[in-house]
Amino acid sequence: MTELLSSLSHAVYPSYNWTWHGLTVIYGADAENQSHCEARLLFPNGYLLTAPMLIPFSLLALFIGLYCSGVISSSGRLNSLLYRKTFFLYGLMMTSAMFTDSLIPFNAVSPVWKIIHLLVGLIDVTFTSCIAASFFFNGLADMKLIDENSKKSLIAQIVMYSSIAMGWIYTFSTGSFASGFKYLYIFLILGFCGSYVIFEAIFIVYRGHREGLGYLILAGLSGGGGLALMMKVPVALCLATTPFMGGQSWWFLGSDLAMFFIFKFYMINHVSADTDEDVSPSIRTPPTSSAVVDMIELQPLYIAQ
């Protein structure tokens, strides 16, 4: 089994072209001999659609972002302003990613298309890094280290997001995409989102609200697994699934699942902002009414009978 896995990890994806009514499915090595675990669609007019599975996953992300943002906005829960902004940005980011990584043709020779591709790509990666930073601020707010409504918090967010945007602008203007992707994309996502998970774990232990913990764990596994598969899709997984599910598709799917699980965690775990307390639910004193008092007083009489 070890030898088999080793041989698969060093194998290349099979290459083939399949044509149906003028539509060509291209799978495997491209013209630059780069191996892909993701089919591309070449239309009769020469339009090349890359990673078509990103389209439904991006539309699902747009729905998750807008729907969850709206629900959180009207929920009145703790730190709802920060969380609804995070989900709203997620919907916008994945929409721009759909155009950058799929709909805008990679084989376009027109300078206009190339400029559009760069601009939309800049928006995509900037939003991605800013969402990771947004989760970091969510965690800080849950830990009561910042107040979501304070001017200092707003200034800190503006400075953070502006710094990220300037970093990506510098990356695109200098063409240093390798280092930019490493530090502004991978490292920021791992650092900020990882910090959020740690903050929420402390938040759960400190407050005693363990409801929804399973959703938080599932979110971490989905997001981390999707990111890992984006970096390297095992050939065995590629061959066992549809040829349209490459690294980016797994990353998009993992992100959608992670955001859905975080939404479930937030709605279950975060109490109303008006009733927020810093004590464990197990030692809270329940509200006492006259009916409860009467029941307590009458209970011994009932037992005596």
Side-chain angles (χ1 to χ4, degrees), residues 56-72 83-84 86-92 94 252-264:
F57 292 150
S58 298
L59 295 177
L60 176 61
L62 179 61
F63 172 78
I64 291 175
L66 297 182
Y67 172 78
C68 296
S69 177
V71 173
I72 292 173
Y83 274 89
R84 74 184 185 189
T86 303
F87 278 88
F88 183 76
L89 284 177
Y90 177 73
L92 296 182
M94 292 295 278
F252 277 47
L253 176 60
S255 300
D256 288 347
L257 291 175
M259 292 300 290
F260 172 75
F261 290 139
I262 288 175
F263 169 72
K264 295 291 290 183

Side-chain angles (χ1 to χ4, degrees), residues 31-305:
E32 288 76 28
N33 202 30
Q34 296 294 319
S35 188
H36 297 273
C37 178
E38 197 148 28
R40 291 150 288 158
L41 300 179
L42 180 62
F43 289 82
N45 61 355
Y47 172 71
L48 181 64
L49 179 63
T50 304
M53 282 301 295
L54 299 187
I55 298 175
F57 292 150
S58 298
L59 295 177
L60 176 61
L62 179 61
F63 172 78
I64 291 175
L66 297 182
Y67 172 78
C68 296
S69 177
V71 173
I72 292 173
S73 177
S74 59
S75 68
R77 279 173 166 74
L78 184 67
N79 298 320
S80 61
L81 178 61
L82 286 173
Y83 274 89
R84 74 184 185 189
K85 178 196 65 180
T86 303
F87 278 88
F88 183 76
L89 284 177
Y90 177 73
L92 296 182
M93 180 273 293
M94 292 295 278
T95 302
S96 63
M98 175 178 63
F99 286 93
T100 303
D101 300 326
S102 182
L103 290 178
I104 297 180
F106 278 77
N107 61 340
V109 295
S110 172
V112 176
W113 274 114
K114 292 182 178 180
I115 294 175
I116 293 175
H117 195 201
L118 284 175
L119 290 177
V120 178
L122 176 61
I123 295 173
D124 172 24
V125 293
T126 301
F127 274 5
T128 303
S129 301
C130 287
I131 290 171
S134 183
F135 272 114
F136 178 72
F137 286 112
N138 293 349
L140 291 178
D142 288 341
M143 291 290 294
K144 297 187 179 298
L145 298 177
I146 63 172
D147 181 359
E148 68 170 356
N149 297 310
S150 68
K151 292 183 178 180
K152 292 182 179 180
S153 173
L154 179 60
I155 293 174
Q157 294 177 64
I158 293 176
V159 171
M160 176 67 75
Y161 299 147
S162 300
S163 301
I164 291 174
M166 292 302 297
W168 277 116
I169 291 174
Y170 175 80
T171 298
F172 274 63
S173 61
T174 59
S176 53
F177 295 105
S179 58
F181 182 78
K182 177 180 179 181
Y183 295 107
L184 294 176
Y185 196 95
I186 300 298
F187 280 12
L188 282 189
I189 291 176
L190 291 176
F192 284 143
C193 293
S195 298
Y196 170 77
V197 173
I198 295 174
F199 286 150
E200 293 307 305
I202 299 174
F203 174 76
I204 290 173
V205 173
Y206 176 68
R207 291 167 50 89
H209 288 278
R210 292 177 176 81
E211 297 84 357
L213 176 60
Y215 285 115
L216 180 63
I217 296 174
L218 288 175
L221 294 175
S222 300
L227 183 61
L229 288 176
M230 181 191 67
M231 303 300 296
K232 178 65 175 179
V233 180
V235 178
L237 178 62
C238 179
L239 298 177
T241 58
T242 168
F244 293 99
M245 285 296 294
Q248 283 185 308
S249 297
W250 288 109
W251 171 225
F252 277 47
L253 176 60
S255 300
D256 288 347
L257 291 175
M259 292 300 290
F260 172 75
F261 290 139
I262 288 175
F263 169 72
K264 295 291 290 183
F265 163 74
Y266 175 80
M267 296 300 294
I268 294 175
N269 183 271
H270 288 55
V271 297
S272 171
D274 297 330
T275 60
D276 178 39
E277 301 177 15
D278 288 332
V279 295
S280 171
S282 60
I283 60 174
R284 288 177 179 168
T285 303
T288 304
S289 63
S290 58
V292 174
V293 174
D294 293 340
M295 290 177 62
I296 296 175
E297 292 177 349
L298 292 175
Q299 186 66 20
L301 298 178
Y302 176 78
I303 295 175
Q305 294 176 353

